[in-house]
Amino acid sequence: MLRKKTAEDIIVDLIVYVSLVFVGIVTLYPFVNVLAVSFNDALDTVRGGIYIWPRKWTLKNYEIILTNPQIYNATFVSIARTVLGTVLGIICTMFVAYPLSRKDFVLRRPFSAIMVLTMYFGAGLIPTYLLYRSLHLLNTFSVYIIPALLGMFNVVVVRSYIESLPSSLIESAKIDGASEFRILWQIIFPLTLPAVATIALFIGVGHWNSWFDVYIFNSQRPDLSTLQYELQKILASVSMQVGRNPDYQMGAMAETQQVTPTSVRASMTIVATAPIIMVYPFLQRYFVKGLTLGSVKGE
Amino acid sequence: MESAIYYTSKKTFWQKVKEQKELVFMIFPFVLYVILFHYIPLWWWVIAFKEYRPYDGVWGSQWVGLQQFRDLFSDSGFWLAMRNTIVISFLKLVTSFAAAITLALMLNEVKNMLFKRTIQTISYLPHFVSWVVAASIVIGALAPESGVVNQVLMALKIIKQPVVWMGEGHYFWWILAISNVWKETGWNAIVYLAAMTSIDPELYDAASVDGCGRLQKIRYVTLPGIAPTISMLLILNVGWLLNAGFEQVLLLRNPLVQDYAQILDTYVLDYGITMYRYSYATAAGMFKSIVSILLVLFANKVAQKLNASTVV
């Protein structure tokens, strides 16, 4: 339908495009600024005025954090829990989502009630802490993996996706004598890949971003610390000095070590964020569909 | 399909279970897992009625009846946490809804797909970074001297002196609300955009014929089109009223704003984990969980009522 643009059209378009460009800048600028600061000389940064480009280019900030054995180790733990947690999480989600997607499954109703109810309540922090303690999960690597094996929201997303596949696929496979396990992994799983990509992103990001479980359950074990927790520790030490400028405060330290909290925080932030920014463009075309499908059915 | 129903209906429940033993075998360990990790912890609620000492164990500890709850309800700190929780979640609820709906409406007006997709991709990026990273960015942006917020406001001559944003309680509530908007608006807008795509295009054509301009189309077609989604999400969010955002508050709070930053979750953390008052903190957590469950049930009832009346 072709028609002339009215004055209103032009004004609306103008407001919309200008506002959206503003939204884009406000959202993206903090990341660009952190990136610039992370590549700028620490002492030079104290003078202020770093916006989108480093003034005195250096890799020193990264060198400092990546050669720190504590942070090097934390990076390894973060990668380990993300990879292991995501792979196991996907397998477990499939084992739950597939039976629940089968309309003819006799135990579908009671089992899905037991599972879905957990989305709406929690016992609270202390009971959870006491449970983990009695299961000897405290101060272990397993506390990252085992309690997070199943996310009900992810189960709902995958289940809805499987339900949208033609049920004749399963029936004909059964006639051919395939076991349920075989149907799940050789027929359903490959067809469910878009949903799996969505939940892989959710599970992976969840693991990579998690710091609270480190803080509560594993704070006695520096060897099990993660990147996000290390960043949180830096942040907490800066937070204690609100009201004064941390850059000036740490001036003396800066002179000798060529490092300031601002610079270390910037490079840590980039290291903690980069993997997500790198994978998410590849997965994002799936998640909008996966999410809307899941949320509509989930309600 | 009909023959299948006939075929299975002759069998007893246990025969069907036996026939589907592979499916049962597949899911059963996870049913046990969910019971262990989500239902068993409820059992520890019993310590809210005791004076729990780790050395004595749950059964060895002394019963105190409702003493913990009496202490809790007579503590002014608890009511302060309650006030902060409600104010913060309410502020966040209103701002995040307004922002997400506005963003979705604006994106919906964009005809250039490349531009639309670029802005969308940028807008949900912050959703995927941790609150640790987001808090680091917020604290950096609000720093008194080097922070970009003060620099911009001073350059625009809106303020003369740098403001210590993180040191003032009233600002803190708004910092939580606005940083939440920054982080989640793009993500929250997805569901409204999805709702907008399902609006019948003929409605827009009809509105054009009736002489509606762009704003009138938004007012009379788009907004009514997403109204059911908005009301549904609003109702469902009632269940989250006692969740003010644990991680966000925990990461952004500092001693100066403690009276505005203490929420129920941090209250439980401070008393339970930091001061080892397990029973007292469990009572606080239990109170929060029960009120939340009641709110969810209430919200679901309302949602069903509304849904039924709109569908029929």
Side-chain angles (χ1 to χ4, degrees):
Chain A
M1 201 164 63
L2 218 67
R3 67 191 178 90
K4 233 183 130 227
K5 278 196 164 190
T6 63
E8 189 192 6
D9 282 332
I10 294 167
I11 293 169
V12 169
D13 278 341
L14 197 70
I15 293 172
V16 163
Y17 279 86
V18 170
S19 312
L20 287 178
V21 168
F22 178 76
V23 168
I25 291 171
V26 168
T27 311
L28 206 55
Y29 175 75
F31 295 107
V32 177
N33 180 249
V34 171
L35 192 64
V37 169
S38 76
F39 282 112
N40 197 58
D41 181 78
L43 290 177
D44 181 66
T45 303
V46 181
R47 283 172 44 219
I50 305 298
Y51 300 107
I52 58 170
W53 204 252
R55 187 165 47 211
K56 276 176 88 175
W57 177 273
T58 178
L59 287 174
K60 189 85 187 153
N61 302 321
Y62 287 96
E63 208 184 296
I64 287 165
I65 62 165
L66 293 177
T67 52
N68 176 328
Q70 178 81 19
I71 290 168
Y72 183 76
N73 186 60
T75 309
F76 179 74
V77 175
S78 283
I79 294 171
R81 78 174 280 183
T82 303
V83 172
L84 197 66
T86 309
V87 171
L88 291 176
I90 289 170
I91 294 171
C92 295
T93 306
M94 292 304 295
F95 274 134
V96 174
Y98 174 64
L100 292 184
S101 75
R102 287 277 299 269
K103 297 212 167 64
D104 59 334
F105 180 42
V106 270
L107 295 167
R108 177 176 144 118
R109 277 180 156 272
F111 281 1
S112 77
I114 289 171
M115 302 254 171
V116 171
L117 267 178
T118 62
M119 283 167 87
Y120 298 104
F121 73 87
L125 182 63
I126 308 297
T128 305
Y129 182 85
L130 295 175
L131 172 75
Y132 292 0
R133 200 180 61 187
S134 57
L135 293 176
H136 301 286
L137 283 173
L138 298 185
N139 300 313
T140 63
F141 181 75
S142 331
V143 79
Y144 300 145
I145 306 295
I146 295 174
L149 278 178
L150 264 191
M152 279 315 138
F153 181 77
N154 299 331
V155 170
V156 171
V157 168
V158 176
R159 189 197 62 187
S160 312
Y161 198 89
I162 300 177
E163 280 172 1
S164 72
L165 301 171
S167 59
S168 53
L169 275 172
I170 296 169
E171 278 157 33
S172 59
K174 268 210 248 166
I175 290 165
D176 290 344
S179 73
E180 296 287 2
F181 286 89
R182 206 169 151 161
I183 295 174
L184 172 58
W185 293 110
Q186 294 194 340
I187 297 169
I188 299 298
F189 183 70
L191 291 170
T192 314
L193 278 180
V196 170
T198 307
I199 65 157
L201 181 71
F202 293 163
I203 300 173
V205 165
H207 273 290
W208 183 260
N209 281 347
S210 181
W211 65 279
F212 189 67
D213 49 9
V214 192
Y215 172 65
I216 294 289
F217 307 123
N218 274 354
S219 57
Q220 310 296 319
R221 288 281 301 269
D223 58 320
L224 293 176
S225 180
T226 63
L227 259 185
Q228 304 284 342
Y229 185 53
E230 291 301 315
L231 180 60
Q232 189 270 335
K233 284 199 284 188
I234 295 175
L235 202 64
S237 68
V238 176
S239 251
M240 293 307 288
Q241 315 154 348
V242 216
R244 280 151 281 171
N245 191 329
D247 287 342
Y248 295 151
Q249 280 251 311
M250 306 300 264
M253 175 185 158
E255 293 295 336
T256 50
Q257 297 183 5
Q258 286 185 301
V259 52
T260 63
T262 307
S263 300
V264 171
R265 208 175 73 219
S267 45
M268 277 291 278
T269 304
I270 296 300
V271 172
T273 315
I276 291 170
I277 293 182
M278 287 188 295
V279 293
Y280 126 103
F282 299 101
L283 294 172
Q284 69 138 322
R285 66 194 179 104
Y286 296 121
F287 69 60
V288 175
K289 201 178 157 210
L291 185 84
T292 44
L293 196 67
S295 63
V296 169
K297 294 269 174 78
E299 282 161 22
Chain B
M1 264 334 257
E2 264 178 38
S3 67
I5 291 165
Y6 175 67
Y7 174 70
T8 50
S9 63
K10 279 202 295 191
K11 299 188 171 165
T12 66
F13 172 76
W14 287 111
Q15 278 175 316
K16 279 190 262 181
V17 169
K18 208 177 158 194
E19 190 182 274
Q20 297 178 332
K21 59 180 184 299
E22 285 178 322
L23 291 178
V24 178
F25 188 67
M26 207 180 263
I27 196 172
F28 195 65
F30 295 101
V31 174
L32 294 181
Y33 166 90
V34 166
I35 291 170
L36 176 60
F37 278 94
H38 294 272
Y39 291 88
I40 302 280
L42 295 175
W43 181 80
W44 264 276
W45 275 2
V46 72
I47 68 170
F49 305 98
K50 290 189 163 230
E51 185 59 63
Y52 174 69
R53 289 202 196 85
Y55 181 77
D56 298 330
V58 174
W59 291 122
S61 300
Q62 200 193 341
W63 286 100
V64 295
L66 294 174
Q67 191 55 48
Q68 305 291 358
F69 289 92
R70 250 174 259 139
D71 290 351
L72 186 68
F73 295 141
S74 58
D75 177 28
S76 62
F78 171 74
W79 293 110
L80 195 69
M82 193 73 188
R83 176 202 71 171
N84 293 337
T85 305
I86 291 173
V87 171
I88 291 168
S89 17
F90 188 74
L91 206 57
K92 280 168 70 171
L93 188 71
V94 172
T95 51
S96 69
F97 263 78
I101 293 167
T102 311
L103 180 66
L105 286 176
M106 291 199 295
L107 284 170
N108 197 45
E109 292 299 314
V110 173
K111 296 289 169 277
N112 182 331
M113 286 315 282
L114 181 67
F115 180 77
K116 185 174 172 177
R117 218 166 286 154
T118 310
I119 295 294
Q120 264 195 286
T121 305
I122 293 172
S123 77
Y124 31 66
L125 178 63
H127 172 80
F128 289 97
V129 307
S130 66
W131 263 116
V132 184
V133 167
S136 159
I137 285 171
V138 170
I139 290 172
L142 294 176
E145 305 284 338
S146 59
V148 67
V149 173
N150 276 329
Q151 285 175 355
V152 168
L153 291 178
M154 299 235 300
L156 294 172
K157 308 256 187 260
I158 294 173
I159 52 171
K160 285 196 189 75
Q161 292 283 316
V163 177
V164 184
W165 297 106
M166 297 296 287
E168 190 74 50
H170 289 100
Y171 295 152
F172 188 73
W173 286 344
W174 285 101
I175 290 167
L176 292 178
I178 293 168
S179 57
N180 180 60
V181 163
W182 173 77
K183 195 170 181 301
E184 304 297 341
T185 297
W187 187 250
N188 293 339
I190 291 178
V191 65
Y192 299 112
L193 279 165
M196 285 174 194
T197 55
S198 64
I199 297 173
D200 188 351
E202 277 182 29
L203 288 175
Y204 288 102
D205 294 341
S208 299
V209 173
D210 289 346
C212 284
R214 291 276 287 276
L215 290 174
Q216 281 181 313
K217 276 190 225 168
I218 294 173
R219 167 78 182 77
Y220 294 109
V221 182
T222 315
L223 275 177
I226 60 166
T229 310
I230 297 174
S231 58
M232 189 63 76
L233 288 178
L234 260 178
I235 292 162
L236 293 176
N237 264 294
V238 169
W240 287 91
L241 212 64
L242 293 188
N243 291 289
F246 193 8
E247 279 197 42
Q248 185 193 12
V249 173
L250 197 53
L251 288 161
L252 286 172
R253 73 174 178 172
N254 65 64
L256 292 179
V257 295
Q258 180 65 3
D259 284 352
Y260 295 85
Q262 183 78 297
I263 56 171
L264 289 176
D265 289 319
T266 54
Y267 187 84
V268 170
L269 179 73
D270 289 349
Y271 280 89
I273 305 283
T274 317
M275 299 182 203
Y276 302 107
R277 290 183 62 185
Y278 290 123
S279 287
Y280 184 72
T282 304
M286 187 177 160
F287 173 80
K288 191 201 143 190
S289 294
I290 289 175
V291 174
S292 294
I293 293 169
L294 292 177
L295 286 171
V296 168
L297 291 177
F298 167 76
N300 276 335
K301 265 264 154 19
V302 176
Q304 275 168 7
K305 277 240 162 68
L306 275 185
N307 210 15
S309 64
T310 49
V311 168
V312 174

